[in-house]
Amino acid sequence: FNHSCAPNAINYVIGRCMVVRACEPIKAGSEITISYLGRPQLLPVAKRIAALEVSSSTGAALCKCKP
């Protein structure tokens, strides 16, 4: 899965299994995206982008979203 600041799916773990559920209808062949931030995905966009930049090993933004 790739990251999106506006993901079309959510993921969570139950025991040793990861569950992925659609947040909206996803057309066949479309990319399924999740937020790499977990609960912080509820933060405002600018704070989410800053968190992704900090978590990146290169310091580069992992997300192209603009605040």
Side-chain angles (χ1 to χ4, degrees):
F1 301 101
N2 284 319
H3 169 79
S4 173
C5 285
N8 59 13
I10 59 169
N11 67 300
Y12 51 94
V13 176
I14 298 177
R16 294 176 36 192
C17 298
M18 180 170 68
V19 178
V20 179
R21 297 189 68 176
C23 298
E24 59 190 44
I26 303 171
K27 293 182 180 179
S30 295
E31 180 177 30
I32 297 173
T33 58
I34 60 173
S35 173
Y36 289 170
L37 297 174
R39 287 216 180 268
Q41 71 184 329
L42 303 175
L43 293 171
V45 173
K47 290 186 178 186
R48 286 182 279 173
I49 292 170
L52 286 167
E53 289 172 347
V54 168
S55 68
S56 170
S57 61
T58 64
L62 298 174
C63 185
K64 304 294 184 204
C65 303
K66 300 293 180 208

